[in-house]
Amino acid sequence: APPPAPDAPQHTIEFDHILVHWENYGPISPYTVVDRRPSAGAFASPALDALPEDWVSGLTGFRLFGLHLSYEETNGPERNPASLARLFGRDDYIGASLAKGKARVWADWHQQDGFPKLLLRDDGLSPRQAGRLVMDLIRFEASRMAALTEHARLRTLDRQLAVWEQRLAPDGEQGSADGEAVTTVRAGLLSHYRERLALSICDEYEQAARVALDALDEAPLPGLLPLSDYLGHSMEGVHQDISQWSERFNLIERELARAEGRLEREDRDQLAEAIQLQTAVMARTAQAQTQNRRLLQIFGVVGLTVGFGFLARLLADGLAAAGLIQAPALLALIGLPLGLLLAYALVFGTGSKRRP
């Protein structure tokens, strides 16, 4: 038989009154095998036995679920509780009316081979309705088992969420987690992206199972437990856990955002304080430099004034010794203010020229 195309979502082949329908659900591939040959009775010969044994053994992966579904037309013998008990090997089977009373189904999920048995009786279905009803039953069980499998894989997620929630618990008076805890939890969320993806996939499977169950349009049969009560309750725990885990993820993300915002504000405040401190230090340094420069200028003026006064005194004594002047003390006294003016001009005039 020709294989499906690499990107085909489904594929169907027929040979010798056998139909094989394959669907691609990513990691899960449901195979529906329909045996149209006359049968000696319900479940007398599983349809899977009609396939080549080497082909079945060559399928990769592992079997997630399987079921045997036998279809009875309207003109078949009417079923009674005794015949159904013999068929299933027990009298606590379940059953329901489907498709607005146009079909009935009896089922048992406690079979030794691990394949639940479903007996579908046509009470007025059109061929199209019958085919759709069979596929809805198969898709319900496929989606239910896929959701339960993903849910079992996510059991450890509850403990991991508790660890992250503990790390993000408020620390003292800060009101939120510290920087180390935020970094650790953020890295943990990134490393557990597969679990978050699996959580989304599990949610899709759970919703698909509910849609398929609703599509059966189920009504109870007297004295029998319906499918929705027997199997639907198995999805309640999945739905509750998915909702709880998703909400806890959202709460962790919100707490992370709040803590990261607080840490960012603290970093900005610390940077502003550092800038203010640096500005204050620079201002004090500039003020000290200005004061030191003025002090040096004053010392320079005083020193130069004393020097010029000393030179004026030496000059006056020299001129007096040469007989050129009669009052050297007066000349020395006049030299002091002149030396002060000259010293001031030299010190402050030179300083003003060096300023930018």
Side-chain angles (χ1 to χ4, degrees), residues 126-324:
S126 67
R128 182 180 180 85
Q129 289 175 323
R132 182 179 293 276
L133 192 57
V134 169
M135 294 308 298
D136 285 337
L137 284 167
I138 294 174
R139 284 170 180 159
F140 164 70
E141 181 62 6
S143 300
R144 187 182 77 93
M145 290 304 300
L148 291 174
T149 301
E150 291 292 339
H151 178 260
R153 289 176 52 199
L154 290 169
R155 284 290 187 182
T156 58
L157 189 60
D158 190 72
R159 292 193 298 271
Q160 184 60 63
L161 288 171
V163 172
W164 291 335
E165 289 165 346
Q166 181 64 30
R167 293 299 303 270
L168 290 177
D171 183 15
E173 298 180 354
Q174 291 184 357
S176 60
D178 58 18
E180 181 182 358
V182 170
T183 302
T184 301
V185 175
R186 177 63 72 188
L189 288 176
L190 293 175
S191 65
H192 283 75
Y193 73 95
R194 287 189 177 89
E195 284 77 1
R196 302 192 71 173
L197 179 61
L199 184 61
S200 176
I201 293 174
C202 184
D203 183 46
E204 291 180 2
Y205 284 141
E206 189 266 339
Q207 292 183 23
R210 291 183 178 276
V211 169
L213 185 60
D214 292 340
L216 297 177
D217 198 5
E218 183 187 40
L221 288 176
L224 295 179
L225 189 67
L227 271 68
S228 58
D229 288 350
Y230 182 75
L231 299 175
H233 79 278
S234 64
M235 305 304 297
E236 291 300 326
V238 175
H239 177 72
Q240 292 176 4
D241 285 344
I242 290 174
S243 300
Q244 182 188 75
W245 293 337
S246 298
E247 179 60 24
R248 290 171 70 183
F249 263 121
N250 293 334
L251 289 174
I252 288 173
E253 287 285 3
R254 289 197 291 269
E255 180 60 28
L256 270 178
R258 190 168 75 91
E260 288 171 343
R262 179 185 60 80
L263 292 173
E264 184 178 353
R265 289 192 300 271
E266 289 180 354
D267 290 342
R268 288 199 301 265
D269 293 343
Q270 291 176 357
L271 179 60
E273 290 178 0
I275 293 175
Q276 291 176 354
L277 179 60
Q278 183 179 10
T279 303
V281 170
M282 292 175 63
R284 288 180 178 275
T285 302
Q287 184 180 8
Q289 290 176 346
T290 301
Q291 292 175 350
N292 292 337
R293 185 172 59 251
R294 290 177 178 175
L295 186 60
L296 290 175
Q297 288 174 337
I298 293 172
F299 286 156
V301 170
V302 172
L304 288 175
T305 302
V306 172
F308 287 140
F310 181 74
L311 290 176
R313 182 66 184 182
L314 291 177
L315 179 61
D317 291 343
L319 292 175
L324 296 178

Side-chain angles (χ1 to χ4, degrees), residues 26-157:
I28 299 177
S29 296
Y31 290 85
T32 304
V33 183
V34 180
D35 188 352
R36 295 196 177 107
R37 296 175 299 179
S39 174
F43 311 118
S45 177
L48 195 61
D49 293 346
L51 299 179
E53 185 177 351
D54 58 343
W55 183 85
V56 175
S57 61
L59 293 176
T60 58
F62 63 93
R63 180 172 64 87
L64 178 62
F65 83 101
L67 60 85
H68 295 308
L69 191 150
S70 181
Y71 172 78
E72 286 187 345
E73 295 182 349
T74 308
N75 55 8
E78 183 62 35
R79 292 288 181 175
N80 56 53
S83 65
L84 290 169
R86 288 194 300 271
L87 179 65
F88 294 118
R90 54 196 302 133
D91 57 5
D92 57 347
Y93 53 86
I94 62 176
S97 172
L98 306 178
K100 300 185 183 301
K102 294 182 179 180
R104 285 171 290 170
V105 63
W106 300 277
D108 179 46
W109 258 258
H110 300 89
Q111 296 296 315
Q112 294 181 353
D113 61 357
F115 284 76
K117 290 182 178 180
L118 284 80
L119 176 61
L120 179 64
R121 182 174 179 84
D122 188 342
D123 289 332
L125 296 168
S126 67
R128 182 180 180 85
Q129 289 175 323
R132 182 179 293 276
L133 192 57
V134 169
M135 294 308 298
D136 285 337
L137 284 167
I138 294 174
R139 284 170 180 159
F140 164 70
E141 181 62 6
S143 300
R144 187 182 77 93
M145 290 304 300
L148 291 174
T149 301
E150 291 292 339
H151 178 260
R153 289 176 52 199
L154 290 169
R155 284 290 187 182
T156 58
L157 189 60

